[in-house]
Amino acid sequence: MVRVDSKTLEVMTKRKRFLVEGTVQGIGFRPFVYRLALRYGLAGFVANDSRGAEIEIQGDDHALCCFEEAFYDELPPLANINNVQKTTLSPLIPKEPFEIRTSRAGNDTLAFVTPDANVCPDCLREMYDPKDRRYLYPFINCTNCGPRFSIIKKVPYDRPFTTMASFPMCADCESEYKDPMDRRFHAQPVACPSCGPKVWITDEKGIKLNVNDPLQVAGSWLRQEKILCIKGLGGFHLAVDARKDTAVRRLRERKWREDKPLALMVKDIEAAKKIVDLNSEEEELLKSTPRPIVLSGKNKAAGIAASVAPGVAEFGVMLPYTPLHYLLFDHSPSVLVMTSGNPSSEPLAYENEAAISRLQSIADGFLLHDRDIYNTCDDSVVRWSRDGEKLLRRARGYAPLPLTPKRFPVEQSLIALGPELKNTVTVTRKGQLVCSQHLGDLTNVSAVQAFKSSIERMINLLGVEPCGVVCDEHPQYFSTRYAKDEFGHLPLYRVQHHHAHMAAVMIEHDFEPEREVLAALWDGTGFGRDGTTWGGEFFVGGYLDFRRVAHTRPVPLPGGDGATKHPWRLATSVFHELGIDPRAKEVDWIDRQPLKDKDLLWTMLERGVRCPLSGGAGRLFDAAAAILDFDPQVTDEITYEAQAAIELEALCKNVPQTKKEGLLPFHFSRGELDLLPALFALFEQKARGVSVDILAAKFIDTAGWACGEVLREIFEKESCDTIVLSGGCFQNVRLADMVERICKNRGLEVYLPRAYPPNDGGVSLGQAAVALARRL
């Protein structure tokens, strides 16, 4: 027997520490490390800490190298590592067996809260295995999938602090839960038919039906063109057969949703390919862990009801993401409308009794279960453009993952309350900015109550005591008034709307606090510092402040904000600004208006009565849609926000880029970009018989070219070569691509929102960044 003294053993053995930052808690990370350590015969431990996880491993060089290689190659599906700090330590003699250690008290205060995740392949395989004890169980899950954010009440993410606390585990589930070698080790929602949630079906009044298989009955109702309300992961959906136009129209009538496109859920990827023209990137997005709604071009032979998405060129499609969805598709049509369970403009329903009360006038029946939802979370919406994924609505699957900038210090806890529309809230804590899920528009009492509740829950969940509150500069926004009324004891930071758009892109791309950019910020509306409405902005500045160096020419809004719902009014205002009376010309969009309406409108414009100026670039796209008048109903009155601009983009989806010589006229002088000549040229060219799809492309391309030229001219004066593009107008892929290409061709760096929406859904993030910079 060869005896090795302790000094020799120390030379042969090494010990390393890994401090892992990122999403590593509640997703099976510790058992993953445990299994790797056993595989390679290593000593040490793994434990959760305030940033993520701490690992110490001890063994010979070869074993340590194998561990590290496998560590990066075999990470759990839900793990997301931001940083790993490695340290070499002195080995322990004698070495201890590898173990999973419990977290020390208070160590979870900075841990990431993991988003909900789609059901994994292993759980699906078990669910469809007749020999498995979870055969056909609609709540099967493991550490690699299932509910997270939607059920958690506070950290640490342990079962007693989730809505699963009311379901005591049976002996079999508890054995899995306690076994580090099992896929369900510390899977907090683990359950089975013996001890877990149950599903049932009711009639339209919420009366439970005595049936053997609720999912089979649900599928049968959908085949009979009934409207079914389904409790899902983060809220309720309203579902109907997407190929039955009568059923879809009935859903629209009951939900008060006239034209806004409805989302589709398809049985599988093959069903998706039959209704949309997926490219490879869109297919990968559809199958990705967040399982978002992906916007993709319509397949005209799809057989989908015309009323699903009228006036647009794309369907919003998603795959099933819960076991219940998969089981439902075993009995239902292969393509379902799956739209949010709420009357239009109201927040998402998430409680059984409240859903029955609010939605019984819409639904013919309810598919319910008793796993409570604590945090509502709507479906996320993404679009693929030539340079990557763009989030348009950030919710399920993405929220509430934090942003963890490396070059911008985040040392204090603030709460930013966001804008009026597409509201989100951002809470900051050490090293993190946590943007909430999409909360919606703060336009009614129920939406306001949901907003208040979400703020309270975010503060409690993240364990912070804010030392400041941030709001928009608009004095009439509810979020602004709430900041003063509810948080009046805290320092208040007001951030101009478009400054927040700019800062959101800067913080997303981890710009340093002193960095300055040149930004084009185009949207429909934002309160300007001169008291007028801004929205076609060119700023030079950084986190602390900005200079407004240029803007689009403003136009009057006859009747105020009401004009934004009537594009023909905007077109009339443009003509008035150009000194032309459209009533004297043979123009359909003015001729069909009641005489008293158009005469009153013209009188208001002539006298300047109730005609506030709007510098919103979005209003110019609305006017263009009205002048082209390709959809008279939309010209006269839109039924959802930005409908005219969205349909304008859809109209020219397949039209090639306009050549430079074919662009419409515009002017830029003394800091003002005037696109009104382009709008009048649309009118003239349409009168000469140019097709409206060509003209739609010409206007968008001209706006993009003009924006790029203004940025170039400002750059030559300011010598700022970093370009930021944001605001709702840049959801228009054609416009964004044009501006980005022009700037890059001139050697400028261009940054757009990627992980956060360019629309107002990203404003709270920018508000927080500005306030943090002011406190540095």
Side-chain angles (χ1 to χ4, degrees):
M1 179 177 178
V2 178
R3 294 184 179 275
V4 181
D5 60 32
S6 61
K7 289 187 176 180
T8 304
L9 180 62
E10 187 173 345
V11 171
M12 296 171 59
T13 304
K14 292 185 178 178
R15 189 176 184 89
K16 290 187 176 181
R17 174 185 291 155
F18 299 78
L19 298 179
V20 185
E21 298 178 17
T23 307
V24 292
Q25 296 188 18
I27 49 85
F29 182 78
R30 288 183 299 164
F32 158 71
V33 173
Y34 177 85
R35 291 191 289 270
L36 283 187
L38 293 189
R39 182 195 301 175
Y40 297 112
L42 299 171
F45 68 87
V46 59
N48 288 336
D49 74 359
S50 63
R51 291 279 180 173
E54 178 184 6
I55 304 167
E56 288 191 15
I57 50 174
Q58 182 171 320
D60 60 53
D61 268 340
H62 178 70
L64 292 174
C65 288
C66 289
F67 172 91
E68 191 166 350
E69 184 176 339
F71 175 82
Y72 289 106
D73 288 346
E74 302 174 25
L75 278 172
L78 301 183
N80 182 20
I81 293 179
N82 291 343
N83 188 42
V84 179
Q85 297 179 32
K86 302 176 190 177
T87 310
T88 299
L89 307 173
S90 298
L92 298 180
I93 302 173
K95 65 181 183 178
E96 77 283 24
F98 198 90
E99 62 180 346
I100 296 176
R101 294 185 180 175
T102 56
S103 305
R104 293 185 296 275
N107 268 7
D108 289 302
T109 55
L110 291 178
F112 290 10
V113 178
T114 311
D116 299 315
N118 70 293
V119 59
C120 71
D122 287 333
C123 283
L124 281 179
R125 176 179 48 77
E126 292 171 349
M127 186 178 75
Y128 284 114
D129 181 357
K131 298 178 182 178
D132 194 279
R133 70 189 188 91
R134 294 185 177 88
Y135 178 55
L136 301 183
Y137 184 55
F139 305 99
I140 189 170
N141 66 84
C142 69
T143 53
N144 296 326
C145 67
R148 297 290 193 279
F149 174 58
S150 61
I151 63 170
I152 188 172
K153 295 182 177 181
K154 64 177 183 177
V155 293
Y157 175 60
D158 291 328
R159 195 179 183 100
F161 304 137
T162 73
T163 60
M164 286 297 293
S166 58
F167 297 95
M169 284 181 277
C170 66
D172 287 337
C173 286
E174 189 170 9
S175 175
E176 294 170 329
Y177 181 87
K178 292 180 176 179
D179 182 0
M181 301 303 290
D182 195 280
R183 201 175 82 251
R184 293 185 171 89
F185 176 72
H186 282 198
Q188 305 306 333
V190 67
C192 72
S194 299
C195 65
K198 303 290 191 293
V199 65
W200 66 93
I201 196 165
T202 80
D203 65 12
E204 73 278 6
K205 296 180 181 179
I207 299 173
K208 185 177 180 179
L209 303 182
N210 185 20
V211 298
N212 291 328
D213 188 346
L215 287 159
Q216 186 177 36
V217 174
S220 173
W221 284 4
L222 289 166
R223 291 185 182 279
Q224 295 169 35
E225 302 187 24
K226 291 187 176 183
I227 299 169
L228 187 65
C229 187
I230 302 170
K231 186 177 183 180
L233 196 56
F236 280 79
H237 283 113
L238 290 163
V240 73
D241 187 344
R243 290 192 166 92
K244 304 298 184 182
D245 195 65
T246 303
V248 176
R249 289 183 182 277
R250 188 165 64 250
L251 171 60
R252 285 195 177 278
E253 290 168 4
R254 294 182 183 181
K255 187 176 162 68
W256 308 329
R257 183 164 170 166
E258 294 180 58
D259 299 304
K260 191 174 182 180
L262 300 168
L264 300 175
M265 182 178 282
V266 294
K267 181 175 183 178
D268 50 35
I269 199 68
E270 294 308 313
K273 290 178 179 178
K274 291 178 181 177
I275 65 170
V276 287
D277 298 322
L278 286 175
N279 59 38
S280 58
E281 292 84 4
E282 290 168 341
E283 182 174 343
E284 289 305 308
L285 279 176
L286 266 181
K287 296 188 294 187
S288 66
T289 298
R291 288 289 167 97
I293 296 171
V294 178
L295 301 184
S296 184
K298 293 179 180 178
N299 182 330
K300 294 181 180 179
I304 301 301
S307 53
V308 166
V312 298
E314 299 164 315
F315 286 130
V317 180
M318 59 181 157
L319 291 173
Y321 53 84
T322 71
L324 187 146
H325 291 149
Y326 280 92
L327 294 171
L328 179 63
F329 272 114
D330 289 341
H331 307 287
S332 72
S334 61
V335 186
L336 297 174
V337 166
M338 197 73 82
T339 189
S340 54
N342 58 293
S344 288
S345 80
E346 293 188 13
L348 186 66
Y350 68 101
E351 297 171 309
N352 288 353
E353 293 303 317
I356 292 169
S357 174
R358 292 172 58 197
L359 301 175
Q360 60 181 304
S361 62
I362 302 176
D364 298 313
F366 294 82
L367 186 64
L368 304 175
H369 61 74
D370 53 359
R371 185 179 69 201
D372 288 342
I373 296 166
Y374 188 73
N375 299 297
T376 61
C377 213
D378 213 335
D379 297 311
S380 295
V381 181
V382 304
R383 175 185 250 172
W384 182 265
S385 65
R386 63 184 179 86
D387 52 355
E389 173 185 5
K390 288 184 177 179
L391 265 171
L392 304 183
R393 184 169 73 197
R394 184 177 180 271
R396 178 186 52 77
Y398 297 90
L401 281 178
L403 188 66
T404 55
K406 298 293 187 292
R407 292 178 287 188
F408 185 99
V410 182
E411 301 293 338
Q412 299 166 322
S413 291
L414 303 174
I415 180 163
L417 301 185
E420 190 86 344
L421 303 179
K422 296 182 174 65
N423 181 267
T424 61
V425 172
T426 293
V427 175
T428 70
R429 57 182 184 172
K430 189 172 179 62
Q432 301 176 7
L433 297 94
V434 185
C435 185
S436 76
Q437 71 277 31
H438 167 82
L439 300 177
D441 299 344
L442 306 182
T443 54
N444 57 58
V445 173
S446 56
V448 164
Q449 287 302 119
F451 166 76
K452 293 178 180 179
S453 175
S454 296
I455 291 171
E456 181 181 351
R457 292 183 179 191
M458 277 197 73
I459 289 174
N460 292 336
L461 180 61
L462 298 174
V464 299
E465 293 184 9
C467 60
V469 62
V470 198
C471 67
D472 196 274
E473 289 185 352
H474 197 302
Q476 298 305 316
Y477 277 1
F478 174 80
S479 53
T480 301
R481 302 196 305 271
Y482 189 70
K484 294 186 294 183
D485 296 344
E486 186 67 20
F487 297 96
H489 59 291
L490 297 176
L492 176 64
Y493 301 90
R494 300 176 187 270
V495 179
Q496 198 279 328
H497 185 83
H498 301 98
H499 188 199
H501 272 304
M502 180 177 81
V505 182
M506 294 176 67
I507 195 69
E508 178 188 337
H509 293 281
D510 200 11
F511 286 6
E512 302 88 345
E514 65 278 4
R515 185 86 170 264
E516 286 211 337
V517 301
L518 166 57
L521 308 158
W522 283 19
D523 61 6
T525 182
F527 188 72
R529 287 187 173 171
D530 59 2
T532 67
T533 298
W534 291 1
E537 306 308 305
F538 296 89
F539 288 176
V540 171
Y543 293 110
L544 285 176
D545 208 352
F546 65 90
R547 289 180 292 119
R548 189 190 192 206
V549 293
H551 57 85
T552 54
R553 177 180 172 178
V555 296
L557 294 183
D561 287 343
T564 64
K565 297 181 180 180
H566 302 274
W568 75 272
R569 296 190 192 178
L570 297 167
T572 304
S573 179
V574 167
F575 271 60
H576 181 269
E577 287 294 286
L578 294 170
I580 301 166
D581 187 346
R583 297 173 300 172
K585 297 180 177 291
E586 294 183 3
V587 182
D588 288 344
W589 51 264
I590 194 76
D591 287 347
R592 66 172 173 267
Q593 307 306 326
L595 181 62
K596 62 180 181 61
D597 289 355
K598 56 190 175 186
D599 285 351
L600 175 61
L601 191 77
W602 194 258
T603 301
M604 291 168 65
L605 288 166
E606 286 282 277
R607 296 178 181 178
V609 176
R610 293 191 63 220
C611 291
L613 287 177
S614 169
R619 303 289 78 86
L620 303 179
F621 287 81
D622 294 341
I627 290 168
L628 294 180
D629 200 25
F630 51 83
D631 185 339
Q633 178 182 320
V634 172
T635 297
D636 294 349
E637 183 175 9
I638 63 171
T639 61
Y640 63 91
E641 186 195 6
Q643 181 181 7
I646 289 169
E647 294 195 11
L648 184 76
E649 179 186 6
L651 186 65
C652 59
K653 180 177 176 63
N654 297 316
V655 177
Q657 181 182 320
T658 310
K659 294 181 179 180
K660 185 177 179 180
E661 58 271 17
L663 295 173
L664 305 171
F666 64 90
H667 303 299
F668 178 62
S669 176
R670 298 182 179 180
E672 184 171 273
L673 171 60
D674 187 359
L675 287 168
L676 271 57
L679 290 168
F680 187 68
L682 279 185
F683 169 75
E684 290 184 315
Q685 292 190 24
K686 185 190 177 192
R688 293 201 299 266
V690 181
S691 65
V692 291
D693 57 339
I694 298 295
L695 291 175
K698 281 190 172 190
F699 180 76
I700 296 172
D701 293 346
T702 298
W705 182 269
C707 182
E709 286 298 297
V710 170
L711 289 169
R712 178 193 58 77
E713 188 166 327
I714 296 172
F715 158 70
E716 291 175 353
K717 294 178 181 178
E718 300 284 345
S719 298
C720 186
D721 62 357
T722 302
I723 307 297
V724 161
L725 307 177
S726 192
C729 290
F730 287 108
Q731 292 178 123
N732 185 316
V733 172
R734 189 180 190 109
L735 176 74
D737 285 353
M738 170 70 88
V739 180
E740 185 176 14
R741 185 166 53 251
I742 290 170
C743 292
K744 286 185 174 180
N745 286 344
R746 287 165 172 76
L748 305 177
E749 293 182 271
V750 183
Y751 295 88
L752 293 96
R754 299 294 180 202
Y756 296 85
N759 57 47
D760 284 4
V763 163
S764 70
L765 181 72
Q767 289 176 342
V770 170
L772 286 168
R774 290 177 184 173
R775 292 179 66 95
L776 287 179

